[in-house]
Amino acid sequence: MRILFAGSEVTPFSKSGGLADVAQSLPDALHRLGHDVSVITPAHRSVFLTDHPIEPTGIPFDVPIGNKIVSGRLLRARSESGVPTYFVDQPEYFDRAELYREAGRDYDDNCERFTFFCRAVLESARLLGGHFDVVHANDWQCGLIPAYLRLEYAHTRGYESIASIFTIHNMAYQGTFWHWDMLLTGIDWRYFNWKQMEFYGQLNLLKTGLVFADRITTVSRRYAEEICESPLGCGLEGVLQHRKHVLHGILNGVNYDDWNPETDPRLARRYSIDDWASGKAENKRRLQEELGLPTLADVPLIGVIGRLADQKGWDLIADVIGRWASREDAQWVILGTGERAYVDLLGQLAAEYPGRIAARFAFSEPLAHRIEAGADMFLMPSRFEPCGLNQLYSLKYGTVPIVRATGGLADTITDAAPEHLEAGIANGFSFEPYDVASLDETLTRACGVYRTDRPSWRRLVEIGMRQDWSWDESASQYVQLYDEALAAKRVPASV
Ligand code: ADP
């Protein structure tokens, strides 16, 4: 099968969150299953800052944007995995310091930038030669792809039988723009209605993707259920209920080439399940040194990494850390970028308790890896979490996750209740109500086991390290879905 995978960010070229990891590792996994996959993404400025050489393809193209014609060209990165990555190069749109927003404000022309990207993806399907079976589009930035495929390309030679898959990585980001941006898309105003592209008077690109795609997926089963209801449907629960028959939850996988303590070049010491206790102790000591924390071996070190956005539960985290720092013997390591208010709040706490809290407000892959290796526990009390990757990385690194049971966190973390420990299925700690008391109680429970019940702790760590959250199973589920979508496309032609 030939698959064109479109995403607005792709590791290692550009990244703001989990989508980038998925856009690299799912195509690789599909390739390993024997499929011919190409990835396509914008040529953001960061693309040219990695040490991967980017080369021209000699393929230029022109697409209509509103009443003008905009030119772009395709670039390409050589791949070690066998999956080529193509970049849509248009410096006016994509040669920018960030991907979507700067200084707390979205770029004003985001609708135009990603309309261009979507049109470029569909043109590329032709320009790259041969026939694609599936276009897999991700998130609002790709929301127009299924619409163009259905409305503009349906009768174009080579496009008639392409199936579109649309994956939701987060319902909270919908790409809503004022109604006049419809003109940029070139799509007829008759589609600007409450059942298709319009949402409370605005153009909504996530909704557009949901309405026109042949199949919809999201990144865990639990989240697939949650988004069909309020509040996690974020206003689009009605659309999702209407399309529930084509909506599937497929859990994201981990790229263990990148996230594996046995091979991770960024660690002070590499380790496996056989020597994790000494390996983690060494990484912990080095992390404490790196971040200026006292090098105490027996004090629990709790890591938190993530976007500084309401979704991730930073209000709970700040509240709990504030209480704990003044009375409990625990160390906290925070890594994140995002909202100013959280930078200020967490920065103040770190300044107040320098021996217990280290906060770094930067995007640093190497430090993220070292925190996973050096921390004893990893905290993720999200308000909602479509899948979540950090808890899965934590399991592999022997770092016990403490999570709120929502979305993918609920699907992957089994609480260390006595019966789960006994059955050998516990791999972390989880709680349900989104409040400080529940988080506080769960942290107390986790630190209690860490300090006083080493056999149970060892069990938890080793169950987690042994689990396999790789892409193998999930990539097969995607292939099944592609097949199903293609078969459904063929039906009208054969009757
Ligand atoms: P989301 O996609 O909602 O941001 P995920 O848990 O699915 O959350 O994925 C987040 C990814 O981004 C993880 O790979 C995480 O390690 C990474 N990440 C987030 N913030 C940072 C940061 N400040 N530095 C390094 N990596 C980060």
Side-chain angles (χ1 to χ4, degrees), residues 454-465:
R454 292 310 280 185
S456 293
W457 192 261
R458 173 170 283 275
R459 198 125 190 261
L460 272 177
V461 167
E462 293 182 0
I463 288 170
M465 288 186 85

Side-chain angles (χ1 to χ4, degrees), residues 15-19 21 170 259 305-307 311-312 335-337 362-365 368 380 385 388-390 393:
K15 175 165 172 174
S16 77
L19 165 63
D21 293 353
N170 197 328
W259 292 95
I305 304 170
R307 289 181 292 112
Q311 175 194 339
K312 301 290 178 184
L335 174 64
T337 54
F363 198 94
S364 168
E365 289 266 351
M380 230 168 146
E385 195 59 74
L389 290 171
N390 275 312
Y393 303 153

Side-chain angles (χ1 to χ4, degrees), residues 392-422:
L392 302 179
Y393 303 153
S394 298
L395 291 172
K396 189 70 181 170
Y397 282 68
T399 307
V400 176
I402 300 172
V403 307
R404 177 157 177 267
T406 177
L409 297 173
D411 283 356
T412 55
I413 302 303
T414 305
D415 183 69
E419 65 275 19
H420 295 153
L421 270 173
E422 188 121 320

Side-chain angles (χ1 to χ4, degrees), residues 308-310 314-315 318 339-347 361 383:
L308 298 175
D310 292 341
W314 290 105
D315 52 344
E339 286 173 30
R340 187 79 241 164
Y342 290 125
V343 173
D344 293 343
L345 184 61
L346 297 162
F361 303 112
R383 281 174 194 274

